[in-house]
Amino acid sequence: FPAEDLVLQKHVPGDGGRLSAKALLARADSWRPWRAYAVIQVWRDSALSAKSAPPTPRKPVPRRIAT
């Protein structure tokens, strides 16, 4: 189980927070023996929600004028 995976650590709590690898591993222990399927589903959901989210606006970079 990839407990160090950032996507899993951020997506599993569902509240915008982030679980530690140890906390994620403890939560995922109840998913046995289907943890691999759960990981695939979380990755899929995360990818789909990233596609539907509006892009983050970028701050304009001030241009430097050569002197």
Side-chain angles (χ1 to χ4, degrees):
F1 181 79
E4 297 288 335
D5 185 74
L6 183 61
V7 172
L8 293 174
Q9 289 178 356
K10 286 185 165 187
H11 198 76
V12 169
D15 62 358
R18 181 177 170 192
L19 290 176
S20 67
K22 188 175 181 179
L24 179 60
L25 195 57
R27 183 177 288 187
D29 195 47
S30 66
W31 303 342
R32 283 180 181 260
W34 310 108
R35 294 186 311 176
Y37 293 106
V39 168
I40 292 167
Q41 187 64 38
V42 170
W43 283 340
R44 181 182 172 276
D45 289 348
S46 176
L48 290 175
S49 67
K51 286 183 181 178
S52 65
T56 306
R58 291 183 161 187
K59 293 182 181 178
V61 178
R63 296 187 182 249
R64 295 182 185 176
I65 301 173
T67 56

